[in-house]
Amino acid sequence: MSESEQDSAADLQQEVCRHLAIYVPRIFCLGLSGSDREEQREELACQLLLLAPLEWLLLGEEPAAGLALLQENNQPSALCGHVFKVGEPTYSCRECAADPTCVLCMKCFLGSVHKEHRYRMTTSGGGGFCDCGDSEAWKTGPYCQKHTPGDGNQDTDEVRLMSDPVAHLATDMVGRAFSVFFIILKYAVDLLTWEHEDLLPAGLQPPEREDTYYCMLFNDEVHTYEQVIYTLQKAVSCSQKEAVSFATTVDRDGRKSVRYGDFQFCEQAKSVIVRNTSRQSKPLRVQVMHSSVVAHQCFALKALSWLGQIIQYSDGLRRILCQVGLQKGPEGENSSLVDRLMLNDSKMWKGARNIYHQLLMNSLLMDLKYKKIFAIQFAKNYRRLQTDFMEDDHERVVSVTSLSVQLFTVPTMARMLMVEENLMTTIIRTFVDHLRHRDPQGRFQFDRYTAQQAFKFGRVQSLIGDLKYVLISPPSKWSDQLRLKFLEGFYAFLELLKCMQGMDPVVRQVGQHIEMEPEWEAAFTLQMKLTNIITMIQEWCSTDERVLIEAYKKCLSALSHCHSSLPDGEQPISLSLAGHSVETFRYQVSQEKVSIHLPVCRLLAGLHVLLSRTEVASRFPEQLPLGELSPPLLIELPLRCLVLCAQVHAGMWRRNGFSLINQIYYYHNVKCRVEMFDKDIIMLQAGASMMDPNHFLMIVLSRFELFHVFSTADIRKRYREANKDLVQQNTLIEEMLHLIIMVVGERYVAGVGQVEPYDEVRREIIHLLSIRPMAHSELAKALPENGNKETGLERVIDSVASFKKPGVTGRGLYELRPEWNRYFNLYFHHYSRADQSKAEEAQRKLRRQSGEDTALPPPPPPPLCPLFGSLVNLLQCDVLLAIEGAVLQWAVEPSGGGWTESMLQRVLHLVGMALLEEQQQLENSSGYEDVTFNYACKITREAPSTSGSVLALLESLQNAPHLEVHKDMITWILKMVSNIKMMRERTSSASSFTVSPERGSEETMKDKDKAERKRKAEMARLRREKIMAQMSEMQKHFINENKELFQQSMEELEASTSATHHSPPSAELTCVSQVAVGPRRVGGTERRQLVTCILCQEEQEIRGHSRAMVLAAFVQRSTVLSKNRHCNLPNPEHHDPLFMHPDLCLGIHTASCGHIMHATCWQRYFEAVQLKEQRRQQRLRGHTSYDVENGEFLCPLCECLSNTVIPMLPHAASPDHSVENPSLEVWLKTTNQQIAALHSAHRTQSDGAAEEAEPVVPQGFKVDFTPQNPFSSSISEMITTFSLSTYKVGLKVNPNEQDPRVPVLSWSSCAYTIQSIERLLMDEEKPLFGSLPCRQDDCLSSLTRFSSACWTAAPLKTVHTHFIRLLSALVPDTQVENTPSILEIDMFHLLVYSVLAYSSIHCLDQSGCSVVDSGHLHLLHLVTVAHLVQILLTSTTEEVCMDQDNSGSEEEELTCQLYSTLRNHLGSVLPEVSSGWQLYRCLKAGVLPFLRAAALFFHYLNSTAPPDELLIAGPGQWEALCSYLSLPSNLLLLHHNQQTLLKPLIHSWCCHPGVRQTLQGGGAIIRFPRESNRLIELPEDYSVLINQASSFTCPRSGGDKSRAPTLCLVCGCMLCSQSYCCQTEVDGEDVGACTAHTFTCGAGLGLFLRVRESQVLFVAGKTKGCFYPPPYLDDYGETDQGLKRGNPLHLCAERYRKIEHLWRQHGIAEVIGHAQEANQALVAIDWQHL
């Protein structure tokens, strides 16, 4: 800039500042009123007065036009740069991503090639961005369709780096942009890093200063929500609601003003807050800030967001902003604006950090040129930033250090930073500096693992994450600079490992148990974190020979340095055995210090394998210090570690407590073993391959403290006298043999054996599946992951296993293909003890099934690499032969307990391995002379110490009776020996002929074996048959003794079977006569009902006057059939339940588990439960899975949740056929007279004097007659109990026997339960009868019979009033007011209520000339006609032009007739319909559910057997239904035949004002048949749901993202669960959004899908809930709760149907009950807060 320009820029800056100084405090000074209107005003003023002038200034024209023009001329970059919101789905391609941090947003993913690949789907923690368009992030397919560069824009990144987007802008624009951006960015940076609470930067002081302050509360991660809410209520005396809102905002934005006023007023609040929160920890941070400072800070954030928006319009502006931000200031180093922001990061509050991080991502990270410059600044300040982060207590997500993932994961950038800024060394050194705790030897020593400690440690570990990013992709070409810097980093890393070498040493406790468990977790956490780094460093080394050689040398010298610091003075000893001797020193693991942590050793082992794998060892032996290696020293530490494990297994370290057991567990665990246990084995292999095998074995024996056992012949006697623990000694021998097997046999590491990594994974899988079939996730968990979270499982699995799909439950399993069984190795080194025995069992079983012998010989081993070639000599060395001979010798004379079978088994395995090795060498060599491995020959020689050769011993063991199990194995060994001998004897010329004799000998062996086996099987069979014969004899004897008993039970059995099959009494009764209602009804065959009480096991017949028997039941409110979820729940005090609305918005459902008890037994049981609960509450305060105070208990037999009992009542009596049967007309007349008589009687009672004329009383009708109660007192009591339960649950009120609504709710439960079961059967296309499980059948039958009797427990007058009101809905009655219209009544409920209430009228009729059944039939007829009218009124027939034969059947004519009658009454409200066929079709479909429900109801009421047609699903249902209900199969005849009688009724129904009003749109019309409710449709692909959820904002806290978005499966509503913001009050308690929603949507019951967790949540009431497997499965048939694995998930329709079925059959509460009983942890969860 020239001088004049600089002056004008400075003037501009002053101008802008003056403007801001005046307006900002005016606009942003609201006090605390912060209502929505105020916020809108503030937004508007800010836009008009502050931002608009800046836009004019920048663009020099009208902003909208100027921005549009900019966008038009802009060439957009190919980077997507979409910044993820919290919870948004992100996709990473497992085949093409450079590393797991490369992700795509959903839009880019769907438009990319990767959606056809194997991908991983996760939810973002927020803050990262989409890598679409970044060619370094993807091996293939870096662009999606939207971001693919156009033809003219096929730029490579390099070209884009060089081209300057600023060139596209006008020059004057560039100048203006520089000044405006500089002024605004500087203003924002000054204010965000401003330290004074009372002053403002120069030039921003407001014209007049007022005494207005804010008390500003800042967020920290130490105090909980509860503490903050409680403190605020005290400090600023606000309500809890306000305090919760404050706390939520503080947590979200990082700060919030909690008081506004003068200085004194705010200072007082501050002191209260500080005083209240400083007790346990440091106090909450509170500042009293002048209102103008706060106002400017608010605007500074707005200005940063504005900059972020402006640069989206043009890459040129973006570049200018980057230049302004990174331009060095006058102070020199670290003075640029971006540096100032970064270095003050930890001083800022959360909201400010988020906004400026967002700006950095939108600007610097999207511009490739400046991304590099920024990365260098970031790396320069790395140590300081990390140190700030350690001191800060905010999460990493809101720290600037989290940007490392955007910079370090770009391979070119990571290498550039490594070379230029020495990044690798910086990270490692920073890490080591922060772990300050050391012991005197300089090793890490961690304190007790407190929460504070863990927090600090967690912070430090983020550094390891950064190191992992830097190393994640090894370089393909190295420069000298890179080699230098990498090796420097490697040396720094070795220093770190040296601090870990020998960490946490342990000493065996003898005598007493250890007092304090030593700290071990931190060391293993560190080891786990470093595992991937160590592996990656080895991968880097393997790509360059020079680096590998240097690293190997350095590592070796580090190891010798570690060895030199080992305590000296260990006395040397000389060992000799089997003619060999070796010098070593005395060291006993069981007495000295020993440590599990040997990372330097293990790194060397890894590098040693690389020397072999890359063949560097054979090509440049002169450059390697292989001569300096001292093999005994190399093996010393790993061997001690393995001996420690063996001794722990043998139980020698029991007194060292759990910390040691845990360490050993993790040492072998899949998370650590790659860099721990596996490397120790490799180190032993490396050592053994470089020393005399005899010496190696002698040192091993010595370290195992077993040398004396094998070194003298007669040790056994002395050893027994020494009285050492024999079992421990034997276990040690087994472990030692196992170790030898592993050292020789574990060759599946590329570099040890000649194999590929592929083979290694395959072998792991074979051995895992040899235990049992496993699911994909189990396999993935059991395999080690590399740095990219890959296990290599998918490449291999299909070649070795076959997949079995899961059913409705369970998961898909992989089974091993049989041809791979021969690769099974019983001593596989990754088996735990338990795994090994399971696998052995499974394999032997398999071999028995396929008729093979059960030997499990070692599998053929792959050849060794040259560097490890001499390992095989271990198998044939003298010491091992001596050991084998000794063990076999002990087995031959098994007198003492000095040996075990597993010891022998291991020796046989070793012998087998040696023979296989020899056989392979013979097969692979040209002439047999050059095969030096001659084990077969050695085992035939006489060994000096034992009585006979190994072979002779084996032969003598072959038929030893105590070794039956191992016989097959020994046979296999002997066969191998003879094979090898024949191969050696065979001369090369005759080789082609000598195949057959060998086969022959093998065959005869096999035949002998087979014959032997057959003989044994035959013996076993005879033995079994003998035993069976004896048993059957005993049984007969017993039956003869107890004849009477059996006789009786047989008769009962026959009786019951005949009763259930209802054999018709005479052949003439065909199915037509099965009628369930009316005078012609057929009574149930009079069968005795015998039931057994589950508590006292007594049998009893059900009679009206005997002791009451009850059925455990569960009553709940239900909205499953509801057609109106928005209706408010009724006010329990004034709600009148007599007429159920057809939308069935709230019903009462009763279910039962079908278990029967005496009422008295049940009462005793329930009292015991209550007592137990009282005692439990005094002890612990938690809930149980049932709520005793609400009368809940678990069924004593099946533990099913119940809350009441249904009394069991006898069947209805058979009808009296002698009485004649009044017609509908006569019956209506009589009934009306009876009702009139009752009206007058009721009036007389209330008025006292009878004024008007007595009505005509039908003959024999006694108004004041009191019928006698047909039930015993105990049954009546139970009837009351159940009535009150339905009343209490249905209305949510306290029990009140006097309430007239009590019987209505019992009837309601009966009707609703039948309706819901009818729907269920209909939807599942099951037959109406005969397909219900017996528990539902018993429940319905008891419930219906109970309902028919419950009037006996209520005052008669109450029931009469109910009947009168019910009938008035059908037959108008002047005495009854406000009856609902015909469109507001559910007809089935009306039918059930009126039929059940009619008995109370009928019992007053003492004339004996009428039966109750005819009343039932007439009521059914009336209600059916009303229902037909109801259906026609609400029908919508779309005109279908189908020429039906115009004549039309009788049904159609009558339908049209009835419809025209209705149109006469209602006129134009009903549309004209010409097609009778359509009307009739609509009518028939609409009335069917009603008829089916009625058939169920009368079947259970009258116990009439259903006709056969209804026992099967299929045609012929309609006629059978109608005849069963004694209706004509043309229902319209009901109307037609009684037209004169029904005309006035239909007229009165239609003229009810409610009908016209509803039809003209005055309310929702319910159409028939009602559609069954289903759960909502879910998308097939789960990520669609995640995407919906990520865009869902919490409805309460202004546009904030919800943390736990939860989807209601019943109505599809998305809720913000598990957060303070959405809590509401229900019945005086705060409950979360889900619980509150259940009360409006599901009457207290809810089914939800927690989208981020992929979990289904069931909630019942406030205290009950459980999680249920979601209906989404991955390709391997598994659910992924918590979205941990990230495999793509798809909807499994069967599983979703199962959940729907549970809901529709009202089984949710039962599922929750069972889940909470099974898992006590569920009881403790606060379900009401979800």
Side-chain angles (χ1 to χ4, degrees), residues 1012-1026:
E1012 175 72 1
R1013 266 210 197 89
K1014 212 169 175 181
R1015 194 177 60 77
K1016 280 188 190 156
E1018 189 59 25
M1019 295 278 289
R1021 192 177 62 79
L1022 290 170
R1023 210 165 49 239
R1024 273 203 304 275
E1025 280 176 4
K1026 192 172 160 193

Side-chain angles (χ1 to χ4, degrees), residues 895-1032:
S895 47
W899 69 286
T900 61
E901 285 203 28
S902 41
M903 208 185 284
L904 174 67
Q905 206 176 349
R906 285 167 168 77
V907 165
L908 295 176
H909 196 86
L910 276 167
V911 174
M913 284 169 72
L915 292 168
L916 272 172
E917 193 67 51
E918 183 165 355
Q919 187 185 24
Q920 277 195 341
Q921 288 203 13
L922 287 169
E923 283 170 356
N924 297 340
S925 68
S926 47
Y928 295 140
E929 298 71 54
D930 56 354
V931 174
T932 51
F933 195 88
N934 51 359
Y935 183 75
C937 164
K938 285 190 178 179
I939 57 173
T940 48
R941 285 204 305 256
E942 294 285 321
S945 60
T946 55
S947 57
S949 65
V950 171
L951 192 62
L953 288 168
L954 281 171
E955 281 167 347
S956 60
L957 284 174
Q958 187 179 7
N959 292 316
H962 60 283
L963 296 178
E964 193 54 52
V965 193
H966 306 295
K967 185 180 164 187
D968 289 338
M969 184 68 188
I970 297 174
T971 311
W972 179 86
I973 289 177
L974 296 174
K975 205 160 62 194
M976 281 293 289
V977 173
S978 62
N979 274 3
I980 289 174
K981 280 196 177 143
M982 295 186 65
M983 284 173 88
R984 282 202 183 264
E985 284 161 14
R986 204 184 305 163
T987 53
S988 43
S989 61
S991 62
S992 50
F993 298 108
T994 48
V995 178
S996 47
E998 167 218 349
R999 298 291 309 159
S1001 69
E1002 209 172 299
E1003 291 305 313
T1004 51
M1005 277 284 217
K1006 270 200 173 157
D1007 290 345
K1008 271 193 202 160
D1009 268 10
K1010 272 195 176 153
E1012 175 72 1
R1013 266 210 197 89
K1014 212 169 175 181
R1015 194 177 60 77
K1016 280 188 190 156
E1018 189 59 25
M1019 295 278 289
R1021 192 177 62 79
L1022 290 170
R1023 210 165 49 239
R1024 273 203 304 275
E1025 280 176 4
K1026 192 172 160 193
I1027 293 173
M1028 291 303 286
Q1030 284 173 344
M1031 278 170 69
S1032 120

